[in-house]
Amino acid sequence: MSKDSILKNPKNLKRRKLINSVMISLCVLAGLVTIIPLIYIFFYTTQSGISSLNVDFFTQLPKPVGEEGGGMANAIVGSLILISIGGLIGIPVGVLSGIYISEYSKSFLSSIVKFTTDILSGVPSIIIGIFAYGVIVIPMQRFSALAGGFALGILMIPTVTKITEEMLKLVPMSLREASLALGVSRWKTTLKIVLTTASSGIITGILLAIARAAGETAPLLFTAFGNSFWQTKIDQPMAALPLQIFTYAISPYEDWHRQAWAGAFVLIFLVFVVNLLVRFVTRNKFSGNL
Amino acid sequence: MKDNNSMDNDNDNIELEIDPEIQEESELNSKAAVLTNDLSVYFNKRAGIENINLKIRKNRVTSIIGPSGCGKSTFLRSLNLMHDMTPSARVFGEIFINGENISDYNSVDIRKKVGMVFQKPNPFPTMSIYDNVIAGLKLNGSKKRSDYDEVVEKNLIHSGLWNEVKDRLKTPAMSLSGGQQQRLCIARTIAVDPEIILMDEPTSALDPISAAKIEELIFNFKNDYTIVIVTHNMQQAARVSDMTAFFYLGKLVEFSKTRRMFTNPREKLSEEYITGKFG
Ligand SMILES: Nc1ncnc2c1ncn2[C@@H]1O[C@H](COP(=O)(O)OP(=O)(O)OP(=O)(O)O)[C@@H](O)[C@H]1O
Ligand SMILES: [Mg+2]
């Protein structure tokens, strides 16, 4: 058969067009399946949460059962502190191990690190909470924000490591060579060329890790524990939004349920805003390369 | 320096007599910019190049030709220790730069002396044109901030890019055309003030006009630098270089004056390659 006959054969063409449109429909469908739950969650939380939101929610402490009103100010601040501690641990450790795996991939140790990170990312978060309980809560003989932050930090490590590794691997070898050929040392090349080139991807990964950690409840149960009062000392039990939402949602009180919705809304909104904000700030005028 | 400039390959049956012209010139110019002594590179157990003895003279353009896979890049990359980055590569033999054995020096210091321009233009994508030129100086911390403007202007003029970019120095380097990017890479390379510039097929990814511009640069660079250029383009080798080395299957077959190589090569193999009988 010559080339022309393939082009001109209408039967073949029709069949191909059909297959093409079926495949496209499947892709669109899959896309919708991904988007719909997100939109649903977003709208449902907004709808149920926004009506219970007021200034008090951000400024007041929780009220005892039976009293109307109150807020989650302590939990909001607590979450921010816990995430900061988690980030201080998880981001540097994750980024550095990602660099190690990607840039020094030929060493035996780095393959162990890679393997361990993969395993760690599959460990259920409650187990990580128990681990933090064992290494921090028991020796300190007290629940604390430190233990909660530590658990969140451990939880962030595999995500940050993985994304750093992947992003660094996307940086073409030719850029490393270009830098080395200028007489730039290996570590400066990694830091100033490779890491910088991959930075927007890595930042996105860090955001994902933070967003995930911000919503974690299980690892905080035996670590930060929760607190109905103001607490900003990191060696003390501390309230956190997901914990508070959890406690309120399983309570039998209508008023607490409404507050739980408000909390859920604030949590989602915060994650959303942080995402947008960092994207905006790190928007690189030289982007489009990765 | 050791007087080690005989060109004979002692390990195989390809006998190289000493070209009288080479000898004459080498006396005029006794200091070799690069001298390799039984240089071999192995990847795992396979040889990329074997027992290369080559003397590259100062302020000359030396081209390296040969069929694909014959070890041209491997040779070039051994001169600025790029094989350090390839875990499977093992380098044997000696390399002298300006008469000094490079194994006595830190690879970083060698690379400052021996710059490299790559086949595909590879400006740093996150940097502006300006920052690309000073990248080496900045990262090495070897010049004051106040000198940067001058360095940028001087090197962009030198690489023939200044007039095209002087009004948009702060725009992304990736906004340039391929040929302009390559000249930017050359500016970046010469900004760290190397003595030797290695070029691995620097024009093969470019259109003929951009390629011609680069060739012109190479020609003008002769007074200031020693250039070693790998090329698949025979005409290019004939146009730009003073000396030509022909590699085949990891061995140096012939090293002659370019004029001689392309008119009356000493080896039959060179002749066959140049006349297009294989490769
Ligand atoms: N990183 C590497 N790992 C394993 N083998 C390699 C590596 N680099 C080069 N080689 C081998 O060394 C030999 C020489 O390769 P080299 O790249 O030097 O050839 P070349 O002459 O530059 O070819 P081309 O003209 O296609 O660029 C080839 O057989 C190649 O397979
Ligand atoms: Mg090559």
Side-chain angles (χ1 to χ4, degrees), chain A residues 106 173-175 177-178 180-184 188 192-193 197 286 289, chain B residues 77 82 85 87 108 111-112 118 122-127 139-140 172 188:
Chain A
K106 288 299 182 298
M173 201 59 201
S174 64
L175 288 185
E177 291 186 341
L180 291 171
L182 292 172
V184 178
K188 266 195 180 164
K192 299 285 175 108
I193 302 294
T197 309
F286 300 139
N289 47 72
Chain B
R77 293 163 62 85
M82 268 307 167
M85 289 297 288
V108 167
R111 293 187 191 126
K112 281 180 195 159
F118 298 82
N122 55 0
F124 298 125
T126 53
M127 295 184 191
L139 294 175
N140 293 328
R188 177 178 73 183

PDB file of all heavy atoms in Angstrom, chain A residues 106 173-175 177-178 180-184 188 192-193 197 286 289, chain B residues 77 82 85 87 108 111-112 118 122-127 139-140 172 188:
ATOM      1  N   LYS A 106      25.739   7.607  43.100  1.00  0.00           N
ATOM      2  CA  LYS A 106      26.518   6.396  42.895  1.00  0.00           C
ATOM      3  C   LYS A 106      27.016   5.775  44.196  1.00  0.00           C
ATOM      4  O   LYS A 106      27.502   4.664  44.211  1.00  0.00           O
ATOM      5  CB  LYS A 106      27.703   6.682  41.974  1.00  0.00           C
ATOM      6  CG  LYS A 106      27.281   6.897  40.531  1.00  0.00           C
ATOM      7  CD  LYS A 106      26.599   5.643  39.982  1.00  0.00           C
ATOM      8  CE  LYS A 106      26.165   5.713  38.554  1.00  0.00           C
ATOM      9  NZ  LYS A 106      25.184   6.705  38.189  1.00  0.00           N
ATOM     10  N   MET A 173      22.272  17.591  32.685  1.00  0.00           N
ATOM     11  CA  MET A 173      23.683  17.395  33.021  1.00  0.00           C
ATOM     12  C   MET A 173      24.542  18.519  32.435  1.00  0.00           C
ATOM     13  O   MET A 173      25.540  18.919  33.025  1.00  0.00           O
ATOM     14  CB  MET A 173      24.108  16.042  32.434  1.00  0.00           C
ATOM     15  CG  MET A 173      25.328  15.445  33.073  1.00  0.00           C
ATOM     16  SD  MET A 173      25.056  15.186  34.836  1.00  0.00           S
ATOM     17  CE  MET A 173      26.743  15.120  35.376  1.00  0.00           C
ATOM     18  N   SER A 174      24.124  19.023  31.267  1.00  0.00           N
ATOM     19  CA  SER A 174      24.950  20.023  30.588  1.00  0.00           C
ATOM     20  C   SER A 174      25.121  21.294  31.428  1.00  0.00           C
ATOM     21  O   SER A 174      26.135  21.970  31.316  1.00  0.00           O
ATOM     22  CB  SER A 174      24.341  20.373  29.238  1.00  0.00           C
ATOM     23  OG  SER A 174      23.091  20.976  29.408  1.00  0.00           O
ATOM     24  N   LEU A 175      24.142  21.592  32.284  1.00  0.00           N
ATOM     25  CA  LEU A 175      24.284  22.788  33.111  1.00  0.00           C
ATOM     26  C   LEU A 175      25.321  22.579  34.199  1.00  0.00           C
ATOM     27  O   LEU A 175      26.106  23.461  34.523  1.00  0.00           O
ATOM     28  CB  LEU A 175      22.955  23.164  33.756  1.00  0.00           C
ATOM     29  CG  LEU A 175      21.908  23.750  32.828  1.00  0.00           C
ATOM     30  CD1 LEU A 175      20.688  24.182  33.618  1.00  0.00           C
ATOM     31  CD2 LEU A 175      22.473  24.925  32.069  1.00  0.00           C
ATOM     32  N   GLU A 177      27.816  20.571  33.934  1.00  0.00           N
ATOM     33  CA  GLU A 177      29.117  20.578  33.265  1.00  0.00           C
ATOM     34  C   GLU A 177      29.548  21.994  32.910  1.00  0.00           C
ATOM     35  O   GLU A 177      30.712  22.346  33.058  1.00  0.00           O
ATOM     36  CB  GLU A 177      29.064  19.708  32.005  1.00  0.00           C
ATOM     37  CG  GLU A 177      28.937  18.238  32.342  1.00  0.00           C
ATOM     38  CD  GLU A 177      29.028  17.347  31.112  1.00  0.00           C
ATOM     39  OE1 GLU A 177      28.828  17.852  29.992  1.00  0.00           O
ATOM     40  OE2 GLU A 177      29.307  16.149  31.282  1.00  0.00           O
ATOM     41  N   ALA A 178      28.572  22.803  32.453  1.00  0.00           N
ATOM     42  CA  ALA A 178      28.911  24.180  32.102  1.00  0.00           C
ATOM     43  C   ALA A 178      29.492  24.899  33.300  1.00  0.00           C
ATOM     44  O   ALA A 178      30.481  25.620  33.197  1.00  0.00           O
ATOM     45  CB  ALA A 178      27.664  24.908  31.605  1.00  0.00           C
ATOM     46  N   LEU A 180      30.866  23.510  36.091  1.00  0.00           N
ATOM     47  CA  LEU A 180      32.161  22.926  36.479  1.00  0.00           C
ATOM     48  C   LEU A 180      33.269  23.396  35.542  1.00  0.00           C
ATOM     49  O   LEU A 180      34.386  23.673  35.968  1.00  0.00           O
ATOM     50  CB  LEU A 180      32.081  21.401  36.453  1.00  0.00           C
ATOM     51  CG  LEU A 180      31.217  20.767  37.524  1.00  0.00           C
ATOM     52  CD1 LEU A 180      31.047  19.285  37.245  1.00  0.00           C
ATOM     53  CD2 LEU A 180      31.825  20.972  38.904  1.00  0.00           C
ATOM     54  N   ALA A 181      32.929  23.505  34.246  1.00  0.00           N
ATOM     55  CA  ALA A 181      33.935  23.905  33.264  1.00  0.00           C
ATOM     56  C   ALA A 181      34.396  25.345  33.478  1.00  0.00           C
ATOM     57  O   ALA A 181      35.427  25.748  32.952  1.00  0.00           O
ATOM     58  CB  ALA A 181      33.396  23.735  31.847  1.00  0.00           C
ATOM     59  N   LEU A 182      33.628  26.113  34.246  1.00  0.00           N
ATOM     60  CA  LEU A 182      34.060  27.476  34.555  1.00  0.00           C
ATOM     61  C   LEU A 182      34.966  27.501  35.777  1.00  0.00           C
ATOM     62  O   LEU A 182      35.366  28.558  36.240  1.00  0.00           O
ATOM     63  CB  LEU A 182      32.847  28.368  34.818  1.00  0.00           C
ATOM     64  CG  LEU A 182      31.942  28.657  33.626  1.00  0.00           C
ATOM     65  CD1 LEU A 182      30.687  29.383  34.076  1.00  0.00           C
ATOM     66  CD2 LEU A 182      32.683  29.491  32.595  1.00  0.00           C
ATOM     67  N   GLY A 183      35.258  26.333  36.304  1.00  0.00           N
ATOM     68  CA  GLY A 183      36.104  26.268  37.487  1.00  0.00           C
ATOM     69  C   GLY A 183      35.321  26.482  38.767  1.00  0.00           C
ATOM     70  O   GLY A 183      35.868  26.872  39.789  1.00  0.00           O
ATOM     71  N   VAL A 184      34.018  26.246  38.699  1.00  0.00           N
ATOM     72  CA  VAL A 184      33.191  26.366  39.894  1.00  0.00           C
ATOM     73  C   VAL A 184      33.225  25.013  40.613  1.00  0.00           C
ATOM     74  O   VAL A 184      33.143  23.969  39.967  1.00  0.00           O
ATOM     75  CB  VAL A 184      31.739  26.732  39.518  1.00  0.00           C
ATOM     76  CG1 VAL A 184      30.873  26.820  40.747  1.00  0.00           C
ATOM     77  CG2 VAL A 184      31.719  28.046  38.748  1.00  0.00           C
ATOM     78  N   LYS A 188      29.336  24.334  45.018  1.00  0.00           N
ATOM     79  CA  LYS A 188      28.756  25.603  44.568  1.00  0.00           C
ATOM     80  C   LYS A 188      27.894  25.391  43.338  1.00  0.00           C
ATOM     81  O   LYS A 188      26.875  26.043  43.157  1.00  0.00           O
ATOM     82  CB  LYS A 188      29.858  26.618  44.267  1.00  0.00           C
ATOM     83  CG  LYS A 188      30.158  27.499  45.433  1.00  0.00           C
ATOM     84  CD  LYS A 188      30.967  28.709  45.007  1.00  0.00           C
ATOM     85  CE  LYS A 188      31.258  29.568  46.221  1.00  0.00           C
ATOM     86  NZ  LYS A 188      32.328  30.526  45.967  1.00  0.00           N
ATOM     87  N   LYS A 192      24.292  26.688  43.654  1.00  0.00           N
ATOM     88  CA  LYS A 192      23.952  27.918  42.934  1.00  0.00           C
ATOM     89  C   LYS A 192      23.379  27.660  41.544  1.00  0.00           C
ATOM     90  O   LYS A 192      22.684  28.497  40.995  1.00  0.00           O
ATOM     91  CB  LYS A 192      25.193  28.813  42.799  1.00  0.00           C
ATOM     92  CG  LYS A 192      25.784  29.244  44.126  1.00  0.00           C
ATOM     93  CD  LYS A 192      24.924  30.322  44.747  1.00  0.00           C
ATOM     94  CE  LYS A 192      25.404  30.687  46.124  1.00  0.00           C
ATOM     95  NZ  LYS A 192      26.033  31.965  46.247  1.00  0.00           N
ATOM     96  N   ILE A 193      23.700  26.553  40.958  1.00  0.00           N
ATOM     97  CA  ILE A 193      23.198  26.300  39.603  1.00  0.00           C
ATOM     98  C   ILE A 193      22.074  25.267  39.633  1.00  0.00           C
ATOM     99  O   ILE A 193      20.944  25.539  39.252  1.00  0.00           O
ATOM    100  CB  ILE A 193      24.335  25.820  38.669  1.00  0.00           C
ATOM    101  CG1 ILE A 193      25.466  26.858  38.626  1.00  0.00           C
ATOM    102  CG2 ILE A 193      23.791  25.530  37.284  1.00  0.00           C
ATOM    103  CD1 ILE A 193      25.107  28.164  37.994  1.00  0.00           C
ATOM    104  N   THR A 197      18.130  26.289  39.617  1.00  0.00           N
ATOM    105  CA  THR A 197      17.359  25.958  38.415  1.00  0.00           C
ATOM    106  C   THR A 197      16.122  25.154  38.779  1.00  0.00           C
ATOM    107  O   THR A 197      15.070  25.307  38.172  1.00  0.00           O
ATOM    108  CB  THR A 197      18.236  25.162  37.430  1.00  0.00           C
ATOM    109  OG1 THR A 197      19.451  25.870  37.229  1.00  0.00           O
ATOM    110  CG2 THR A 197      17.541  24.990  36.104  1.00  0.00           C
ATOM    111  N   PHE A 286      12.199  34.179  34.822  1.00  0.00           N
ATOM    112  CA  PHE A 286      12.939  33.325  33.879  1.00  0.00           C
ATOM    113  C   PHE A 286      12.354  31.923  33.825  1.00  0.00           C
ATOM    114  O   PHE A 286      13.016  30.986  33.427  1.00  0.00           O
ATOM    115  CB  PHE A 286      14.411  33.230  34.278  1.00  0.00           C
ATOM    116  CG  PHE A 286      15.089  34.551  34.305  1.00  0.00           C
ATOM    117  CD1 PHE A 286      15.982  34.863  35.308  1.00  0.00           C
ATOM    118  CD2 PHE A 286      14.823  35.487  33.322  1.00  0.00           C
ATOM    119  CE1 PHE A 286      16.603  36.091  35.327  1.00  0.00           C
ATOM    120  CE2 PHE A 286      15.448  36.720  33.341  1.00  0.00           C
ATOM    121  CZ  PHE A 286      16.342  37.018  34.345  1.00  0.00           C
ATOM    122  N   ASN A 289      11.650  27.142  32.025  1.00  0.00           N
ATOM    123  CA  ASN A 289      12.747  26.242  31.680  1.00  0.00           C
ATOM    124  C   ASN A 289      12.529  24.851  32.224  1.00  0.00           C
ATOM    125  O   ASN A 289      13.053  23.887  31.692  1.00  0.00           O
ATOM    126  CB  ASN A 289      14.069  26.811  32.169  1.00  0.00           C
ATOM    127  CG  ASN A 289      13.995  27.298  33.590  1.00  0.00           C
ATOM    128  OD1 ASN A 289      13.914  26.501  34.494  1.00  0.00           O
ATOM    129  ND2 ASN A 289      13.957  28.598  33.784  1.00  0.00           N
TER     130      ASN A 289
ATOM    131  N   ARG B  77      37.444  15.955  26.858  1.00  0.00           N
ATOM    132  CA  ARG B  77      36.967  16.053  28.235  1.00  0.00           C
ATOM    133  C   ARG B  77      38.006  15.627  29.258  1.00  0.00           C
ATOM    134  O   ARG B  77      37.891  15.968  30.434  1.00  0.00           O
ATOM    135  CB  ARG B  77      35.686  15.234  28.402  1.00  0.00           C
ATOM    136  CG  ARG B  77      34.510  15.829  27.615  1.00  0.00           C
ATOM    137  CD  ARG B  77      33.395  14.825  27.458  1.00  0.00           C
ATOM    138  NE  ARG B  77      32.850  14.427  28.739  1.00  0.00           N
ATOM    139  CZ  ARG B  77      31.912  15.103  29.386  1.00  0.00           C
ATOM    140  NH1 ARG B  77      31.408  16.188  28.850  1.00  0.00           N
ATOM    141  NH2 ARG B  77      31.477  14.694  30.551  1.00  0.00           N
ATOM    142  N   MET B  82      36.835  16.560  33.047  1.00  0.00           N
ATOM    143  CA  MET B  82      35.395  16.347  33.110  1.00  0.00           C
ATOM    144  C   MET B  82      35.043  14.891  33.439  1.00  0.00           C
ATOM    145  O   MET B  82      33.937  14.610  33.866  1.00  0.00           O
ATOM    146  CB  MET B  82      34.757  16.700  31.760  1.00  0.00           C
ATOM    147  CG  MET B  82      34.276  18.116  31.656  1.00  0.00           C
ATOM    148  SD  MET B  82      33.185  18.574  32.995  1.00  0.00           S
ATOM    149  CE  MET B  82      33.148  20.319  32.781  1.00  0.00           C
ATOM    150  N   MET B  85      33.393  13.499  36.655  1.00  0.00           N
ATOM    151  CA  MET B  85      31.942  13.437  36.879  1.00  0.00           C
ATOM    152  C   MET B  85      31.350  12.098  36.448  1.00  0.00           C
ATOM    153  O   MET B  85      30.196  11.824  36.713  1.00  0.00           O
ATOM    154  CB  MET B  85      31.255  14.554  36.087  1.00  0.00           C
ATOM    155  CG  MET B  85      31.489  15.932  36.630  1.00  0.00           C
ATOM    156  SD  MET B  85      30.799  16.104  38.271  1.00  0.00           S
ATOM    157  CE  MET B  85      29.045  16.123  37.858  1.00  0.00           C
ATOM    158  N   PRO B  87      31.388   8.312  36.915  1.00  0.00           N
ATOM    159  CA  PRO B  87      31.945   7.326  37.850  1.00  0.00           C
ATOM    160  C   PRO B  87      32.618   6.141  37.152  1.00  0.00           C
ATOM    161  O   PRO B  87      33.570   5.577  37.679  1.00  0.00           O
ATOM    162  CB  PRO B  87      30.736   6.862  38.642  1.00  0.00           C
ATOM    163  CG  PRO B  87      29.718   7.925  38.456  1.00  0.00           C
ATOM    164  CD  PRO B  87      29.958   8.519  37.125  1.00  0.00           C
ATOM    165  N   VAL B 108      39.527  22.124  40.127  1.00  0.00           N
ATOM    166  CA  VAL B 108      38.878  23.425  39.994  1.00  0.00           C
ATOM    167  C   VAL B 108      39.839  24.449  39.382  1.00  0.00           C
ATOM    168  O   VAL B 108      39.468  25.244  38.513  1.00  0.00           O
ATOM    169  CB  VAL B 108      38.358  23.897  41.371  1.00  0.00           C
ATOM    170  CG1 VAL B 108      37.980  25.356  41.344  1.00  0.00           C
ATOM    171  CG2 VAL B 108      37.166  23.054  41.794  1.00  0.00           C
ATOM    172  N   ARG B 111      40.344  23.758  35.662  1.00  0.00           N
ATOM    173  CA  ARG B 111      39.214  24.160  34.825  1.00  0.00           C
ATOM    174  C   ARG B 111      39.124  25.667  34.645  1.00  0.00           C
ATOM    175  O   ARG B 111      38.522  26.149  33.685  1.00  0.00           O
ATOM    176  CB  ARG B 111      37.910  23.607  35.400  1.00  0.00           C
ATOM    177  CG  ARG B 111      37.844  22.100  35.321  1.00  0.00           C
ATOM    178  CD  ARG B 111      36.477  21.599  35.730  1.00  0.00           C
ATOM    179  NE  ARG B 111      36.502  20.159  35.907  1.00  0.00           N
ATOM    180  CZ  ARG B 111      36.100  19.545  37.012  1.00  0.00           C
ATOM    181  NH1 ARG B 111      35.637  20.237  38.022  1.00  0.00           N
ATOM    182  NH2 ARG B 111      36.159  18.232  37.094  1.00  0.00           N
ATOM    183  N   LYS B 112      39.687  26.420  35.581  1.00  0.00           N
ATOM    184  CA  LYS B 112      39.719  27.862  35.381  1.00  0.00           C
ATOM    185  C   LYS B 112      40.667  28.210  34.240  1.00  0.00           C
ATOM    186  O   LYS B 112      40.494  29.204  33.551  1.00  0.00           O
ATOM    187  CB  LYS B 112      40.181  28.558  36.667  1.00  0.00           C
ATOM    188  CG  LYS B 112      39.076  28.677  37.686  1.00  0.00           C
ATOM    189  CD  LYS B 112      39.559  29.360  38.943  1.00  0.00           C
ATOM    190  CE  LYS B 112      38.565  29.139  40.063  1.00  0.00           C
ATOM    191  NZ  LYS B 112      39.166  29.333  41.387  1.00  0.00           N
ATOM    192  N   PHE B 118      30.369  23.827  24.768  1.00  0.00           N
ATOM    193  CA  PHE B 118      29.740  22.542  24.491  1.00  0.00           C
ATOM    194  C   PHE B 118      28.985  22.544  23.159  1.00  0.00           C
ATOM    195  O   PHE B 118      28.748  23.587  22.555  1.00  0.00           O
ATOM    196  CB  PHE B 118      28.790  22.176  25.627  1.00  0.00           C
ATOM    197  CG  PHE B 118      29.498  22.028  26.945  1.00  0.00           C
ATOM    198  CD1 PHE B 118      29.810  23.137  27.720  1.00  0.00           C
ATOM    199  CD2 PHE B 118      29.876  20.776  27.413  1.00  0.00           C
ATOM    200  CE1 PHE B 118      30.475  23.005  28.931  1.00  0.00           C
ATOM    201  CE2 PHE B 118      30.532  20.638  28.625  1.00  0.00           C
ATOM    202  CZ  PHE B 118      30.841  21.747  29.377  1.00  0.00           C
ATOM    203  N   ASN B 122      24.429  26.052  26.250  1.00  0.00           N
ATOM    204  CA  ASN B 122      23.838  25.775  27.559  1.00  0.00           C
ATOM    205  C   ASN B 122      23.977  26.931  28.538  1.00  0.00           C
ATOM    206  O   ASN B 122      24.570  26.778  29.588  1.00  0.00           O
ATOM    207  CB  ASN B 122      24.435  24.488  28.151  1.00  0.00           C
ATOM    208  CG  ASN B 122      25.950  24.542  28.212  1.00  0.00           C
ATOM    209  OD1 ASN B 122      26.557  25.533  27.817  1.00  0.00           O
ATOM    210  ND2 ASN B 122      26.570  23.501  28.722  1.00  0.00           N
ATOM    211  N   PRO B 123      23.391  28.091  28.185  1.00  0.00           N
ATOM    212  CA  PRO B 123      23.418  29.179  29.170  1.00  0.00           C
ATOM    213  C   PRO B 123      22.619  28.771  30.404  1.00  0.00           C
ATOM    214  O   PRO B 123      21.763  27.893  30.319  1.00  0.00           O
ATOM    215  CB  PRO B 123      22.733  30.340  28.432  1.00  0.00           C
ATOM    216  CG  PRO B 123      21.986  29.732  27.323  1.00  0.00           C
ATOM    217  CD  PRO B 123      22.657  28.449  26.977  1.00  0.00           C
ATOM    218  N   PHE B 124      22.932  29.397  31.532  1.00  0.00           N
ATOM    219  CA  PHE B 124      22.177  29.081  32.750  1.00  0.00           C
ATOM    220  C   PHE B 124      20.779  29.681  32.612  1.00  0.00           C
ATOM    221  O   PHE B 124      20.629  30.896  32.501  1.00  0.00           O
ATOM    222  CB  PHE B 124      22.894  29.634  33.978  1.00  0.00           C
ATOM    223  CG  PHE B 124      24.258  29.032  34.162  1.00  0.00           C
ATOM    224  CD1 PHE B 124      25.379  29.840  34.263  1.00  0.00           C
ATOM    225  CD2 PHE B 124      24.431  27.654  34.216  1.00  0.00           C
ATOM    226  CE1 PHE B 124      26.643  29.280  34.416  1.00  0.00           C
ATOM    227  CE2 PHE B 124      25.682  27.094  34.371  1.00  0.00           C
ATOM    228  CZ  PHE B 124      26.794  27.907  34.471  1.00  0.00           C
ATOM    229  N   PRO B 125      19.752  28.827  32.622  1.00  0.00           N
ATOM    230  CA  PRO B 125      18.410  29.290  32.249  1.00  0.00           C
ATOM    231  C   PRO B 125      17.779  30.245  33.254  1.00  0.00           C
ATOM    232  O   PRO B 125      16.893  31.000  32.885  1.00  0.00           O
ATOM    233  CB  PRO B 125      17.600  27.992  32.150  1.00  0.00           C
ATOM    234  CG  PRO B 125      18.351  26.998  32.950  1.00  0.00           C
ATOM    235  CD  PRO B 125      19.790  27.396  32.894  1.00  0.00           C
ATOM    236  N   THR B 126      18.231  30.211  34.500  1.00  0.00           N
ATOM    237  CA  THR B 126      17.595  31.095  35.485  1.00  0.00           C
ATOM    238  C   THR B 126      18.257  32.468  35.515  1.00  0.00           C
ATOM    239  O   THR B 126      17.878  33.316  36.307  1.00  0.00           O
ATOM    240  CB  THR B 126      17.676  30.489  36.891  1.00  0.00           C
ATOM    241  OG1 THR B 126      19.046  30.171  37.159  1.00  0.00           O
ATOM    242  CG2 THR B 126      16.847  29.235  36.990  1.00  0.00           C
ATOM    243  N   MET B 127      19.273  32.642  34.671  1.00  0.00           N
ATOM    244  CA  MET B 127      20.026  33.891  34.752  1.00  0.00           C
ATOM    245  C   MET B 127      19.809  34.770  33.530  1.00  0.00           C
ATOM    246  O   MET B 127      19.505  34.293  32.442  1.00  0.00           O
ATOM    247  CB  MET B 127      21.521  33.589  34.852  1.00  0.00           C
ATOM    248  CG  MET B 127      21.927  32.883  36.113  1.00  0.00           C
ATOM    249  SD  MET B 127      23.716  32.700  36.122  1.00  0.00           S
ATOM    250  CE  MET B 127      23.907  31.589  37.495  1.00  0.00           C
ATOM    251  N   LEU B 139      30.553  33.070  40.988  1.00  0.00           N
ATOM    252  CA  LEU B 139      30.553  31.835  41.773  1.00  0.00           C
ATOM    253  C   LEU B 139      31.932  31.538  42.343  1.00  0.00           C
ATOM    254  O   LEU B 139      32.064  30.962  43.410  1.00  0.00           O
ATOM    255  CB  LEU B 139      30.058  30.656  40.929  1.00  0.00           C
ATOM    256  CG  LEU B 139      28.590  30.759  40.507  1.00  0.00           C
ATOM    257  CD1 LEU B 139      28.219  29.630  39.577  1.00  0.00           C
ATOM    258  CD2 LEU B 139      27.688  30.735  41.726  1.00  0.00           C
ATOM    259  N   ASN B 140      32.961  31.937  41.624  1.00  0.00           N
ATOM    260  CA  ASN B 140      34.309  31.724  42.154  1.00  0.00           C
ATOM    261  C   ASN B 140      34.730  32.856  43.073  1.00  0.00           C
ATOM    262  O   ASN B 140      35.772  32.779  43.707  1.00  0.00           O
ATOM    263  CB  ASN B 140      35.320  31.612  41.019  1.00  0.00           C
ATOM    264  CG  ASN B 140      35.112  30.366  40.208  1.00  0.00           C
ATOM    265  OD1 ASN B 140      34.683  29.352  40.735  1.00  0.00           O
ATOM    266  ND2 ASN B 140      35.410  30.434  38.927  1.00  0.00           N
ATOM    267  N   PRO B 172      16.287  37.489  30.102  1.00  0.00           N
ATOM    268  CA  PRO B 172      16.712  36.095  30.259  1.00  0.00           C
ATOM    269  C   PRO B 172      17.599  35.631  29.109  1.00  0.00           C
ATOM    270  O   PRO B 172      17.348  35.959  27.952  1.00  0.00           O
ATOM    271  CB  PRO B 172      15.404  35.305  30.247  1.00  0.00           C
ATOM    272  CG  PRO B 172      14.341  36.287  30.566  1.00  0.00           C
ATOM    273  CD  PRO B 172      14.823  37.608  30.106  1.00  0.00           C
ATOM    274  N   ARG B 188      30.892  33.715  28.382  1.00  0.00           N
ATOM    275  CA  ARG B 188      30.935  33.210  29.752  1.00  0.00           C
ATOM    276  C   ARG B 188      32.241  32.468  30.002  1.00  0.00           C
ATOM    277  O   ARG B 188      32.846  32.570  31.065  1.00  0.00           O
ATOM    278  CB  ARG B 188      29.739  32.273  29.938  1.00  0.00           C
ATOM    279  CG  ARG B 188      29.642  31.590  31.258  1.00  0.00           C
ATOM    280  CD  ARG B 188      28.398  30.742  31.312  1.00  0.00           C
ATOM    281  NE  ARG B 188      28.501  29.551  30.495  1.00  0.00           N
ATOM    282  CZ  ARG B 188      27.505  28.667  30.338  1.00  0.00           C
ATOM    283  NH1 ARG B 188      26.354  28.861  30.930  1.00  0.00           N
ATOM    284  NH2 ARG B 188      27.679  27.601  29.600  1.00  0.00           N
TER     285      ARG B 188
END
